mmCIF file with all atom_site columns, all heavy atoms in Angstrom:
data_model
loop_
_atom_site.group_PDB
_atom_site.id
_atom_site.type_symbol
_atom_site.label_atom_id
_atom_site.label_alt_id
_atom_site.label_comp_id
_atom_site.label_asym_id
_atom_site.label_entity_id
_atom_site.label_seq_id
_atom_site.pdbx_PDB_ins_code
_atom_site.Cartn_x
_atom_site.Cartn_y
_atom_site.Cartn_z
_atom_site.occupancy
_atom_site.B_iso_or_equiv
_atom_site.pdbx_formal_charge
_atom_site.auth_seq_id
_atom_site.auth_comp_id
_atom_site.auth_asym_id
_atom_site.auth_atom_id
_atom_site.pdbx_PDB_model_num
ATOM 1   N N   . HIS C 1 68  ? -103.450 15.249 83.026  1.00 0.00 ? 68  HIS C N   1
ATOM 2   C CA  . HIS C 1 68  ? -104.164 15.011 84.278  1.00 0.00 ? 68  HIS C CA  1
ATOM 3   C C   . HIS C 1 68  ? -105.680 15.000 84.083  1.00 0.00 ? 68  HIS C C   1
ATOM 4   O O   . HIS C 1 68  ? -106.375 14.102 84.569  1.00 0.00 ? 68  HIS C O   1
ATOM 5   C CB  . HIS C 1 68  ? -103.763 16.098 85.276  1.00 0.00 ? 68  HIS C CB  1
ATOM 6   C CG  . HIS C 1 68  ? -104.444 16.007 86.606  1.00 0.00 ? 68  HIS C CG  1
ATOM 7   N ND1 . HIS C 1 68  ? -104.129 15.038 87.543  1.00 0.00 ? 68  HIS C ND1 1
ATOM 8   C CD2 . HIS C 1 68  ? -105.406 16.774 87.181  1.00 0.00 ? 68  HIS C CD2 1
ATOM 9   C CE1 . HIS C 1 68  ? -104.875 15.212 88.627  1.00 0.00 ? 68  HIS C CE1 1
ATOM 10  N NE2 . HIS C 1 68  ? -105.663 16.256 88.432  1.00 0.00 ? 68  HIS C NE2 1
ATOM 11  N N   . LYS C 1 95  ? -98.791  10.147 88.766  1.00 0.00 ? 95  LYS C N   1
ATOM 12  C CA  . LYS C 1 95  ? -99.788  11.019 88.123  1.00 0.00 ? 95  LYS C CA  1
ATOM 13  C C   . LYS C 1 95  ? -101.157 10.333 88.082  1.00 0.00 ? 95  LYS C C   1
ATOM 14  O O   . LYS C 1 95  ? -102.192 10.980 88.241  1.00 0.00 ? 95  LYS C O   1
ATOM 15  C CB  . LYS C 1 95  ? -99.326  11.377 86.713  1.00 0.00 ? 95  LYS C CB  1
ATOM 16  C CG  . LYS C 1 95  ? -97.992  12.097 86.701  1.00 0.00 ? 95  LYS C CG  1
ATOM 17  C CD  . LYS C 1 95  ? -97.445  12.271 85.294  1.00 0.00 ? 95  LYS C CD  1
ATOM 18  C CE  . LYS C 1 95  ? -96.023  12.837 85.390  1.00 0.00 ? 95  LYS C CE  1
ATOM 19  N NZ  . LYS C 1 95  ? -95.414  13.023 84.066  1.00 0.00 ? 95  LYS C NZ  1
ATOM 20  N N   . GLU C 1 102 ? -108.136 12.296 93.073  1.00 0.00 ? 102 GLU C N   1
ATOM 21  C CA  . GLU C 1 102 ? -109.045 13.410 92.781  1.00 0.00 ? 102 GLU C CA  1
ATOM 22  C C   . GLU C 1 102 ? -110.414 12.902 92.354  1.00 0.00 ? 102 GLU C C   1
ATOM 23  O O   . GLU C 1 102 ? -111.440 13.428 92.795  1.00 0.00 ? 102 GLU C O   1
ATOM 24  C CB  . GLU C 1 102 ? -108.463 14.328 91.695  1.00 0.00 ? 102 GLU C CB  1
ATOM 25  C CG  . GLU C 1 102 ? -109.351 15.557 91.481  1.00 0.00 ? 102 GLU C CG  1
ATOM 26  C CD  . GLU C 1 102 ? -108.838 16.505 90.415  1.00 0.00 ? 102 GLU C CD  1
ATOM 27  O OE1 . GLU C 1 102 ? -107.612 16.534 90.177  1.00 0.00 ? 102 GLU C OE1 1
ATOM 28  O OE2 . GLU C 1 102 ? -109.668 17.218 89.822  1.00 0.00 ? 102 GLU C OE2 1
ATOM 29  N N   . LYS C 1 130 ? -83.381  -4.922 90.655  1.00 0.00 ? 130 LYS C N   1
ATOM 30  C CA  . LYS C 1 130 ? -83.578  -4.388 92.003  1.00 0.00 ? 130 LYS C CA  1
ATOM 31  C C   . LYS C 1 130 ? -84.136  -2.956 91.939  1.00 0.00 ? 130 LYS C C   1
ATOM 32  O O   . LYS C 1 130 ? -85.062  -2.605 92.669  1.00 0.00 ? 130 LYS C O   1
ATOM 33  C CB  . LYS C 1 130 ? -82.250  -4.397 92.748  1.00 0.00 ? 130 LYS C CB  1
ATOM 34  C CG  . LYS C 1 130 ? -82.368  -4.007 94.194  1.00 0.00 ? 130 LYS C CG  1
ATOM 35  C CD  . LYS C 1 130 ? -81.017  -4.058 94.882  1.00 0.00 ? 130 LYS C CD  1
ATOM 36  C CE  . LYS C 1 130 ? -81.169  -3.805 96.370  1.00 0.00 ? 130 LYS C CE  1
ATOM 37  N NZ  . LYS C 1 130 ? -79.862  -3.687 97.021  1.00 0.00 ? 130 LYS C NZ  1
ATOM 38  N N   . ALA C 1 131 ? -83.553  -2.146 91.063  1.00 0.00 ? 131 ALA C N   1
ATOM 39  C CA  . ALA C 1 131 ? -83.994  -0.748 90.934  1.00 0.00 ? 131 ALA C CA  1
ATOM 40  C C   . ALA C 1 131 ? -85.472  -0.682 90.548  1.00 0.00 ? 131 ALA C C   1
ATOM 41  O O   . ALA C 1 131 ? -86.241  0.101  91.118  1.00 0.00 ? 131 ALA C O   1
ATOM 42  C CB  . ALA C 1 131 ? -83.136  -0.023 89.897  1.00 0.00 ? 131 ALA C CB  1
ATOM 43  N N   . GLU C 1 134 ? -87.709  -1.789 93.444  1.00 0.00 ? 134 GLU C N   1
ATOM 44  C CA  . GLU C 1 134 ? -87.815  -0.767 94.488  1.00 0.00 ? 134 GLU C CA  1
ATOM 45  C C   . GLU C 1 134 ? -88.740  0.372  94.048  1.00 0.00 ? 134 GLU C C   1
ATOM 46  O O   . GLU C 1 134 ? -89.494  0.912  94.851  1.00 0.00 ? 134 GLU C O   1
ATOM 47  C CB  . GLU C 1 134 ? -86.430  -0.232 94.845  1.00 0.00 ? 134 GLU C CB  1
ATOM 48  C CG  . GLU C 1 134 ? -85.606  -1.278 95.590  1.00 0.00 ? 134 GLU C CG  1
ATOM 49  C CD  . GLU C 1 134 ? -84.363  -0.707 96.241  1.00 0.00 ? 134 GLU C CD  1
ATOM 50  O OE1 . GLU C 1 134 ? -84.023  0.448  95.967  1.00 0.00 ? 134 GLU C OE1 1
ATOM 51  O OE2 . GLU C 1 134 ? -83.734  -1.442 97.031  1.00 0.00 ? 134 GLU C OE2 1
ATOM 52  N N   . GLU C 1 135 ? -88.682  0.692  92.765  1.00 0.00 ? 135 GLU C N   1
ATOM 53  C CA  . GLU C 1 135 ? -89.556  1.740  92.228  1.00 0.00 ? 135 GLU C CA  1
ATOM 54  C C   . GLU C 1 135 ? -91.019  1.291  92.328  1.00 0.00 ? 135 GLU C C   1
ATOM 55  O O   . GLU C 1 135 ? -91.886  2.052  92.758  1.00 0.00 ? 135 GLU C O   1
ATOM 56  C CB  . GLU C 1 135 ? -89.157  1.955  90.768  1.00 0.00 ? 135 GLU C CB  1
ATOM 57  C CG  . GLU C 1 135 ? -89.474  3.308  90.211  1.00 0.00 ? 135 GLU C CG  1
ATOM 58  C CD  . GLU C 1 135 ? -88.947  3.414  88.785  1.00 0.00 ? 135 GLU C CD  1
ATOM 59  O OE1 . GLU C 1 135 ? -87.829  2.912  88.491  1.00 0.00 ? 135 GLU C OE1 1
ATOM 60  O OE2 . GLU C 1 135 ? -89.666  3.998  87.957  1.00 0.00 ? 135 GLU C OE2 1
ATOM 61  N N   . GLN C 1 138 ? -92.236  1.530  95.839  1.00 0.00 ? 138 GLN C N   1
ATOM 62  C CA  . GLN C 1 138 ? -92.615  2.896  96.240  1.00 0.00 ? 138 GLN C CA  1
ATOM 63  C C   . GLN C 1 138 ? -94.048  3.197  95.808  1.00 0.00 ? 138 GLN C C   1
ATOM 64  O O   . GLN C 1 138 ? -94.804  3.849  96.525  1.00 0.00 ? 138 GLN C O   1
ATOM 65  C CB  . GLN C 1 138 ? -91.668  3.945  95.630  1.00 0.00 ? 138 GLN C CB  1
ATOM 66  C CG  . GLN C 1 138 ? -90.218  3.829  96.061  1.00 0.00 ? 138 GLN C CG  1
ATOM 67  C CD  . GLN C 1 138 ? -90.017  3.790  97.559  1.00 0.00 ? 138 GLN C CD  1
ATOM 68  O OE1 . GLN C 1 138 ? -90.660  4.532  98.282  1.00 0.00 ? 138 GLN C OE1 1
ATOM 69  N NE2 . GLN C 1 138 ? -89.164  2.900  98.015  1.00 0.00 ? 138 GLN C NE2 1
ATOM 70  N N   . LEU C 1 142 ? -97.189  4.274  98.189  1.00 0.00 ? 142 LEU C N   1
ATOM 71  C CA  . LEU C 1 142 ? -98.011  5.467  97.967  1.00 0.00 ? 142 LEU C CA  1
ATOM 72  C C   . LEU C 1 142 ? -99.495  5.099  97.898  1.00 0.00 ? 142 LEU C C   1
ATOM 73  O O   . LEU C 1 142 ? -100.342 5.780  98.485  1.00 0.00 ? 142 LEU C O   1
ATOM 74  C CB  . LEU C 1 142 ? -97.566  6.181  96.684  1.00 0.00 ? 142 LEU C CB  1
ATOM 75  C CG  . LEU C 1 142 ? -98.362  7.424  96.300  1.00 0.00 ? 142 LEU C CG  1
ATOM 76  C CD1 . LEU C 1 142 ? -98.331  8.475  97.420  1.00 0.00 ? 142 LEU C CD1 1
ATOM 77  C CD2 . LEU C 1 142 ? -97.834  8.028  95.002  1.00 0.00 ? 142 LEU C CD2 1
ATOM 78  N N   . GLN C 1 146 ? -102.273 6.416  100.537 1.00 0.00 ? 146 GLN C N   1
ATOM 79  C CA  . GLN C 1 146 ? -103.427 7.193  100.097 1.00 0.00 ? 146 GLN C CA  1
ATOM 80  C C   . GLN C 1 146 ? -104.740 6.457  100.337 1.00 0.00 ? 146 GLN C C   1
ATOM 81  O O   . GLN C 1 146 ? -105.813 6.972  100.014 1.00 0.00 ? 146 GLN C O   1
ATOM 82  C CB  . GLN C 1 146 ? -103.286 7.566  98.616  1.00 0.00 ? 146 GLN C CB  1
ATOM 83  C CG  . GLN C 1 146 ? -102.214 8.613  98.359  1.00 0.00 ? 146 GLN C CG  1
ATOM 84  C CD  . GLN C 1 146 ? -102.614 9.979  98.890  1.00 0.00 ? 146 GLN C CD  1
ATOM 85  O OE1 . GLN C 1 146 ? -103.328 10.107 99.895  1.00 0.00 ? 146 GLN C OE1 1
ATOM 86  N NE2 . GLN C 1 146 ? -102.168 11.022 98.231  1.00 0.00 ? 146 GLN C NE2 1
ATOM 87  N N   . HIS H 1 68  ? -80.291  3.991  89.212  1.00 0.00 ? 68  HIS H N   1
ATOM 88  C CA  . HIS H 1 68  ? -80.539  3.724  90.628  1.00 0.00 ? 68  HIS H CA  1
ATOM 89  C C   . HIS H 1 68  ? -79.240  3.614  91.426  1.00 0.00 ? 68  HIS H C   1
ATOM 90  O O   . HIS H 1 68  ? -79.107  4.201  92.500  1.00 0.00 ? 68  HIS H O   1
ATOM 91  C CB  . HIS H 1 68  ? -81.344  2.424  90.741  1.00 0.00 ? 68  HIS H CB  1
ATOM 92  C CG  . HIS H 1 68  ? -81.642  1.986  92.140  1.00 0.00 ? 68  HIS H CG  1
ATOM 93  N ND1 . HIS H 1 68  ? -82.572  2.628  92.933  1.00 0.00 ? 68  HIS H ND1 1
ATOM 94  C CD2 . HIS H 1 68  ? -81.145  0.978  92.890  1.00 0.00 ? 68  HIS H CD2 1
ATOM 95  C CE1 . HIS H 1 68  ? -82.626  2.015  94.104  1.00 0.00 ? 68  HIS H CE1 1
ATOM 96  N NE2 . HIS H 1 68  ? -81.766  1.014  94.111  1.00 0.00 ? 68  HIS H NE2 1
ATOM 97  N N   . VAL H 1 94  ? -89.874  9.424  92.642  1.00 0.00 ? 94  VAL H N   1
ATOM 98  C CA  . VAL H 1 94  ? -90.122  8.086  93.203  1.00 0.00 ? 94  VAL H CA  1
ATOM 99  C C   . VAL H 1 94  ? -88.815  7.285  93.188  1.00 0.00 ? 94  VAL H C   1
ATOM 100 O O   . VAL H 1 94  ? -88.506  6.553  94.129  1.00 0.00 ? 94  VAL H O   1
ATOM 101 C CB  . VAL H 1 94  ? -91.217  7.366  92.375  1.00 0.00 ? 94  VAL H CB  1
ATOM 102 C CG1 . VAL H 1 94  ? -91.234  5.875  92.669  1.00 0.00 ? 94  VAL H CG1 1
ATOM 103 C CG2 . VAL H 1 94  ? -92.577  7.994  92.655  1.00 0.00 ? 94  VAL H CG2 1
ATOM 104 N N   . LYS H 1 95  ? -88.052  7.439  92.115  1.00 0.00 ? 95  LYS H N   1
ATOM 105 C CA  . LYS H 1 95  ? -86.783  6.712  91.980  1.00 0.00 ? 95  LYS H CA  1
ATOM 106 C C   . LYS H 1 95  ? -85.769  7.202  93.013  1.00 0.00 ? 95  LYS H C   1
ATOM 107 O O   . LYS H 1 95  ? -84.988  6.422  93.556  1.00 0.00 ? 95  LYS H O   1
ATOM 108 C CB  . LYS H 1 95  ? -86.227  6.898  90.570  1.00 0.00 ? 95  LYS H CB  1
ATOM 109 C CG  . LYS H 1 95  ? -87.162  6.379  89.501  1.00 0.00 ? 95  LYS H CG  1
ATOM 110 C CD  . LYS H 1 95  ? -86.714  6.752  88.096  1.00 0.00 ? 95  LYS H CD  1
ATOM 111 C CE  . LYS H 1 95  ? -87.793  6.348  87.095  1.00 0.00 ? 95  LYS H CE  1
ATOM 112 N NZ  . LYS H 1 95  ? -87.425  6.696  85.720  1.00 0.00 ? 95  LYS H NZ  1
ATOM 113 N N   . GLU H 1 102 ? -83.191  2.904  100.251 1.00 0.00 ? 102 GLU H N   1
ATOM 114 C CA  . GLU H 1 102 ? -82.175  1.841  100.240 1.00 0.00 ? 102 GLU H CA  1
ATOM 115 C C   . GLU H 1 102 ? -80.902  2.298  100.954 1.00 0.00 ? 102 GLU H C   1
ATOM 116 O O   . GLU H 1 102 ? -80.316  1.533  101.729 1.00 0.00 ? 102 GLU H O   1
ATOM 117 C CB  . GLU H 1 102 ? -81.844  1.416  98.811  1.00 0.00 ? 102 GLU H CB  1
ATOM 118 C CG  . GLU H 1 102 ? -80.880  0.229  98.807  1.00 0.00 ? 102 GLU H CG  1
ATOM 119 C CD  . GLU H 1 102 ? -80.520  -0.254 97.409  1.00 0.00 ? 102 GLU H CD  1
ATOM 120 O OE1 . GLU H 1 102 ? -81.327  -0.101 96.479  1.00 0.00 ? 102 GLU H OE1 1
ATOM 121 O OE2 . GLU H 1 102 ? -79.411  -0.800 97.263  1.00 0.00 ? 102 GLU H OE2 1
ATOM 122 N N   . LYS H 1 130 ? -102.965 22.748 88.890  1.00 0.00 ? 130 LYS H N   1
ATOM 123 C CA  . LYS H 1 130 ? -103.573 21.779 89.791  1.00 0.00 ? 130 LYS H CA  1
ATOM 124 C C   . LYS H 1 130 ? -102.951 20.395 89.615  1.00 0.00 ? 130 LYS H C   1
ATOM 125 O O   . LYS H 1 130 ? -102.629 19.710 90.591  1.00 0.00 ? 130 LYS H O   1
ATOM 126 C CB  . LYS H 1 130 ? -105.076 21.718 89.516  1.00 0.00 ? 130 LYS H CB  1
ATOM 127 C CG  . LYS H 1 130 ? -105.828 20.851 90.478  1.00 0.00 ? 130 LYS H CG  1
ATOM 128 C CD  . LYS H 1 130 ? -107.317 20.855 90.165  1.00 0.00 ? 130 LYS H CD  1
ATOM 129 C CE  . LYS H 1 130 ? -108.076 20.109 91.239  1.00 0.00 ? 130 LYS H CE  1
ATOM 130 N NZ  . LYS H 1 130 ? -109.482 19.930 90.879  1.00 0.00 ? 130 LYS H NZ  1
ATOM 131 N N   . ALA H 1 131 ? -102.756 19.989 88.366  1.00 0.00 ? 131 ALA H N   1
ATOM 132 C CA  . ALA H 1 131 ? -102.177 18.668 88.087  1.00 0.00 ? 131 ALA H CA  1
ATOM 133 C C   . ALA H 1 131 ? -100.783 18.557 88.701  1.00 0.00 ? 131 ALA H C   1
ATOM 134 O O   . ALA H 1 131 ? -100.449 17.548 89.330  1.00 0.00 ? 131 ALA H O   1
ATOM 135 C CB  . ALA H 1 131 ? -102.115 18.430 86.575  1.00 0.00 ? 131 ALA H CB  1
ATOM 136 N N   . GLU H 1 134 ? -100.966 18.404 92.524  1.00 0.00 ? 134 GLU H N   1
ATOM 137 C CA  . GLU H 1 134 ? -101.405 17.082 92.994  1.00 0.00 ? 134 GLU H CA  1
ATOM 138 C C   . GLU H 1 134 ? -100.284 16.058 92.877  1.00 0.00 ? 134 GLU H C   1
ATOM 139 O O   . GLU H 1 134 ? -100.132 15.194 93.738  1.00 0.00 ? 134 GLU H O   1
ATOM 140 C CB  . GLU H 1 134 ? -102.644 16.632 92.211  1.00 0.00 ? 134 GLU H CB  1
ATOM 141 C CG  . GLU H 1 134 ? -103.863 17.476 92.559  1.00 0.00 ? 134 GLU H CG  1
ATOM 142 C CD  . GLU H 1 134 ? -105.171 16.865 92.093  1.00 0.00 ? 134 GLU H CD  1
ATOM 143 O OE1 . GLU H 1 134 ? -105.138 15.913 91.310  1.00 0.00 ? 134 GLU H OE1 1
ATOM 144 O OE2 . GLU H 1 134 ? -106.232 17.358 92.525  1.00 0.00 ? 134 GLU H OE2 1
ATOM 145 N N   . GLU H 1 135 ? -99.491  16.194 91.824  1.00 0.00 ? 135 GLU H N   1
ATOM 146 C CA  . GLU H 1 135 ? -98.360  15.277 91.636  1.00 0.00 ? 135 GLU H CA  1
ATOM 147 C C   . GLU H 1 135 ? -97.337  15.485 92.758  1.00 0.00 ? 135 GLU H C   1
ATOM 148 O O   . GLU H 1 135 ? -96.836  14.524 93.348  1.00 0.00 ? 135 GLU H O   1
ATOM 149 C CB  . GLU H 1 135 ? -97.733  15.603 90.286  1.00 0.00 ? 135 GLU H CB  1
ATOM 150 C CG  . GLU H 1 135 ? -96.992  14.480 89.638  1.00 0.00 ? 135 GLU H CG  1
ATOM 151 C CD  . GLU H 1 135 ? -96.516  14.909 88.253  1.00 0.00 ? 135 GLU H CD  1
ATOM 152 O OE1 . GLU H 1 135 ? -97.265  15.607 87.521  1.00 0.00 ? 135 GLU H OE1 1
ATOM 153 O OE2 . GLU H 1 135 ? -95.380  14.555 87.911  1.00 0.00 ? 135 GLU H OE2 1
ATOM 154 N N   . GLN H 1 138 ? -98.530  13.969 95.946  1.00 0.00 ? 138 GLN H N   1
ATOM 155 C CA  . GLN H 1 138 ? -98.328  12.515 96.014  1.00 0.00 ? 138 GLN H CA  1
ATOM 156 C C   . GLN H 1 138 ? -96.909  12.199 96.487  1.00 0.00 ? 138 GLN H C   1
ATOM 157 O O   . GLN H 1 138 ? -96.695  11.259 97.255  1.00 0.00 ? 138 GLN H O   1
ATOM 158 C CB  . GLN H 1 138 ? -98.567  11.849 94.653  1.00 0.00 ? 138 GLN H CB  1
ATOM 159 C CG  . GLN H 1 138 ? -99.974  11.990 94.106  1.00 0.00 ? 138 GLN H CG  1
ATOM 160 C CD  . GLN H 1 138 ? -101.049 11.551 95.066  1.00 0.00 ? 138 GLN H CD  1
ATOM 161 O OE1 . GLN H 1 138 ? -100.911 10.524 95.721  1.00 0.00 ? 138 GLN H OE1 1
ATOM 162 N NE2 . GLN H 1 138 ? -102.115 12.321 95.187  1.00 0.00 ? 138 GLN H NE2 1
ATOM 163 N N   . LEU H 1 142 ? -95.814  10.039 99.780  1.00 0.00 ? 142 LEU H N   1
ATOM 164 C CA  . LEU H 1 142 ? -94.899  8.889  99.738  1.00 0.00 ? 142 LEU H CA  1
ATOM 165 C C   . LEU H 1 142 ? -93.746  9.077  100.725 1.00 0.00 ? 142 LEU H C   1
ATOM 166 O O   . LEU H 1 142 ? -93.373  8.143  101.446 1.00 0.00 ? 142 LEU H O   1
ATOM 167 C CB  . LEU H 1 142 ? -94.367  8.699  98.314  1.00 0.00 ? 142 LEU H CB  1
ATOM 168 C CG  . LEU H 1 142 ? -93.373  7.550  98.126  1.00 0.00 ? 142 LEU H CG  1
ATOM 169 C CD1 . LEU H 1 142 ? -93.960  6.216  98.555  1.00 0.00 ? 142 LEU H CD1 1
ATOM 170 C CD2 . LEU H 1 142 ? -92.905  7.476  96.667  1.00 0.00 ? 142 LEU H CD2 1
ATOM 171 N N   . GLN H 1 146 ? -93.067  6.655  103.901 1.00 0.00 ? 146 GLN H N   1
ATOM 172 C CA  . GLN H 1 146 ? -91.804  5.939  104.042 1.00 0.00 ? 146 GLN H CA  1
ATOM 173 C C   . GLN H 1 146 ? -91.018  6.384  105.259 1.00 0.00 ? 146 GLN H C   1
ATOM 174 O O   . GLN H 1 146 ? -89.924  5.892  105.522 1.00 0.00 ? 146 GLN H O   1
ATOM 175 C CB  . GLN H 1 146 ? -90.957  6.098  102.772 1.00 0.00 ? 146 GLN H CB  1
ATOM 176 C CG  . GLN H 1 146 ? -91.513  5.325  101.579 1.00 0.00 ? 146 GLN H CG  1
ATOM 177 C CD  . GLN H 1 146 ? -91.361  3.818  101.757 1.00 0.00 ? 146 GLN H CD  1
ATOM 178 O OE1 . GLN H 1 146 ? -91.412  3.286  102.873 1.00 0.00 ? 146 GLN H OE1 1
ATOM 179 N NE2 . GLN H 1 146 ? -91.161  3.114  100.664 1.00 0.00 ? 146 GLN H NE2 1
#
Side-chain angles (χ1 to χ4, degrees):
Chain C
H68 179 73
K95 300 172 187 179
E102 185 180 333
K130 186 179 186 187
E134 290 193 350
E135 205 176 320
Q138 298 307 318
L142 178 58
Q146 289 290 32
Chain H
H68 178 73
V94 164
K95 300 171 187 179
E102 185 179 332
K130 186 179 187 188
E134 291 195 348
E135 205 175 320
Q138 298 307 317
L142 179 57
Q146 289 290 32

